[in-house]
């Protein structure tokens, strides 16, 4: 599964729908198709930046408009309204909305689904310097994007497995990871869940990493590529092209020969990034065992971990037994065939 050879494509070979004309003459290059992508701010957007700057979007027939969201409400309202085509977001968000447990209620109901995986979330529970253990969070304030979706369930599970019940802490809403990081640095809250490389930036400022989701929960499907089913059905070639471009970017990033260029992407796109933290971040996010998913697939064990947590902690609790309600692997299979 871990084939580290980068597939080289010409624009004609990669552009969705490119084919030979019936007369035997090749068609001219098709215009690049626009695709609007929304994600949260942070260095975990490295594959998006690589796909843009290294030409993987263009080689696959796309021109991507990359945007950053302040919170998850904007992501899903924007998808429903057609302001965004694709979201790079937590798989749990997709499950939440399809179960009617998302923050925004839609009429008609949403039709969100995941079509590829990016990573396990790179999730770390990080606290102010004086808090050195999870147990010391009792009575303190923890910030989240939202209590009903995102990574709040993973955070609550990490607390519970360390003997801290959710009723024993105070909760505050502080927006996406970049905003929670800023609030934590200003000590507006005592702890929060951070994604790499924000956890590294925090640790370099003397804040403490108390636990990671990988250590506590195990396999977990964190971040996925998602869209509306209705949009994807009308634009299947763009979905497939996006998966190919993202995967090609991950493979390019994993090549040790490109490590310096990957670090430059972080320095150019992440505020307050330093060369030392960029090096640490790449080592973490590009680790062949625990970094970005090389095949951008959706591991069944990781999927089940998300469903088990939401099934138990969602309101109301329910058994979630059908992954196909929240994902569709057809586009991924087409993108990775051959």
């Amino acid at each position: 599964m871990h084939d580290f050879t980068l597939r080289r494509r010409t624009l004609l070979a990669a552009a969705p729908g490119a084919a030979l004309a019936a007369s035997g003459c090749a068609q001219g290059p098709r215009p690049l198709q626009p695709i609007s992508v929304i994600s949260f701010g942070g260095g975990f957007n490295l594959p998006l930046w690589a796909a843009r700057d290294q030409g993987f979007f263009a080689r696959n027939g796309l021109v991507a408009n990359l945007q950053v969201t302040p919170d998850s409400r904007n992501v899903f309202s924007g998808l429903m309204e057609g302001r965004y085509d694709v979201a790079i977001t937590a798989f749990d968000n997709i499950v939440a909305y399809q179960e009617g447990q998302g923050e925004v209620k839609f009429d008609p109901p949403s039709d969100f689904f995941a079509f590829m995986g990016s990573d396990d979330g790179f999730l770390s529970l990080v606290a102010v310097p004086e808090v050195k253990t999870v147990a010391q969070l009792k009575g303190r304030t923890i910030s989240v994007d939202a209590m009903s979706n995102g990574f709040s369930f993973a955070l609550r599970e990490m607390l519970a497995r360390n003997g801290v019940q959710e009723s024993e802490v105070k909760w505050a809403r502080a927006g996406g990871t970049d905003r929670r990081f800023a609030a934590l640095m200003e000590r507006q809250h005592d702890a929060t869940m951070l994604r790499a490389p924000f956890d590294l930036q925090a640790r370099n400022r003397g804040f403490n990493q108390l636990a990671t989701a990988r250590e506590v929960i195990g396999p977990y499907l964190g971040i996925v590529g998602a869209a509306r089913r209705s949009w994807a059905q009308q634009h299947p070639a763009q979905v497939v092209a996006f998966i190919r471009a993202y995967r090609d970017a991950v493979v390019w990033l994993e090549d040790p020969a490109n490590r310096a260029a990957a670090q430059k992407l972080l320095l150019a796109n992440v505020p307050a990034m330093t060369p030392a933290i960029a090096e640490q971040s790449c080592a973490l996010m590009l680790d062949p065992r625990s970094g970005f998913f090389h095949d951008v697939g959706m591991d069944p064990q990781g999927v089940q971990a998300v469903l088990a947590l939401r099934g138990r902690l969602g309101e109301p609790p329910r058994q979630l037994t059908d992954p196909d309600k929240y994902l569709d692997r057809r586009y991924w299979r087409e993108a990775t065939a051959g």
Side-chain angles (χ1 to χ4, degrees):
M1 181 172 65
H2 296 286
D3 175 11
F4 286 84
T5 302
L6 175 60
R7 298 194 308 171
R8 304 291 184 184
R9 302 183 183 92
T10 64
L11 180 59
L12 274 178
L20 293 179
S23 63
C25 297
Q27 296 177 347
R30 304 184 72 175
L32 298 182
Q33 297 298 308
I35 191 167
S36 178
V37 184
I38 186 72
S39 65
F40 290 84
F44 37 78
N45 289 306
L46 198 53
L48 290 178
W49 301 329
R52 177 195 62 197
D53 294 358
Q54 295 299 316
F56 296 117
F57 281 132
R59 293 182 199 181
N60 284 282
L62 299 176
V63 55
N65 176 20
L66 306 182
Q67 302 181 58
V68 173
T69 185
D71 54 41
S72 60
R73 293 174 66 93
N74 174 67
V75 171
F76 295 99
S77 295
L79 284 177
M80 285 295 287
E81 295 165 7
R83 289 185 283 118
Y84 314 124
D85 302 320
V86 167
I88 302 298
T89 187
F91 179 57
D92 180 76
N93 284 336
I94 305 303
V95 180
Y97 276 97
Q98 295 316 103
E99 289 299 320
Q101 297 174 343
E103 281 197 293
V104 184
K105 305 304 178 184
F106 296 113
D107 185 16
S110 65
D111 59 344
F112 306 135
F113 80 108
F115 55 77
M116 70 168 210
S118 174
D119 53 74
D120 69 359
F122 305 120
L123 300 173
S124 296
L125 176 57
V126 179
V128 292
E130 57 268 28
V131 174
K132 303 185 184 302
T133 68
V134 175
Q136 291 176 353
L137 288 173
K138 291 182 179 180
R140 293 180 176 267
T141 300
I142 302 177
S143 64
V144 295
D145 179 16
M147 287 296 291
S148 62
N149 60 347
F151 295 123
S152 64
F153 289 162
L155 171 55
R156 289 155 65 184
E157 181 72 2
M158 291 166 69
L159 291 176
R161 294 194 188 186
N162 282 277
V164 179
Q165 301 306 309
E166 61 181 279
S167 60
E168 294 180 299
V169 301
K170 301 171 186 177
W171 298 94
R173 178 171 175 165
T177 307
D178 52 346
R179 297 191 173 200
R180 296 199 309 277
F181 169 76
L184 184 66
M185 294 302 98
E186 295 173 3
R187 295 172 176 267
Q188 296 178 19
H189 313 119
D190 297 300
T192 194
M193 186 83 92
L194 294 179
R195 296 193 65 206
F198 287 111
D199 57 341
L200 296 173
Q201 291 174 283
R203 286 161 54 189
N204 277 272
R205 298 187 191 185
F207 288 68
N208 294 317
Q209 182 186 65
L210 305 182
T212 68
R214 183 177 296 125
E215 294 167 346
V216 177
I217 297 175
Y220 184 85
L221 180 56
I223 298 300
V224 297
R228 295 188 64 182
R229 289 183 189 269
S230 54
W231 179 84
Q233 289 166 1
Q234 296 171 8
H235 303 85
Q238 284 166 260
V239 178
V240 170
F242 182 87
I243 296 170
R244 287 174 175 164
Y246 197 96
R247 186 184 62 165
D248 286 353
V250 169
V251 173
W252 180 85
L253 288 165
E254 291 172 332
D255 188 339
N258 299 322
R259 185 58 55 90
Q263 293 171 14
K264 288 181 180 179
L265 282 173
L266 289 175
L267 289 167
N269 290 282
V270 181
M273 179 61 62
T274 67
I277 298 177
E279 183 177 359
Q280 294 173 332
S281 301
C282 284
L284 174 66
M285 294 189 291
L286 302 178
D287 185 282
R289 293 184 300 265
S290 57
F292 291 111
F293 300 156
H294 178 75
D295 64 351
V296 298
M298 294 179 284
D299 173 62
Q301 277 188 293
V303 171
Q304 288 302 324
V306 175
L307 298 187
L309 280 177
R310 175 153 294 277
R312 179 158 46 85
L313 299 176
E315 294 292 342
R318 62 188 65 167
Q319 284 194 325
L320 306 180
T321 58
D322 182 12
D324 292 338
K325 186 176 181 180
Y326 322 106
L327 58 84
D328 188 336
R329 292 186 172 89
R330 289 178 298 171
Y331 303 96
W332 176 84
R333 286 195 292 265
E334 181 176 347
T336 58

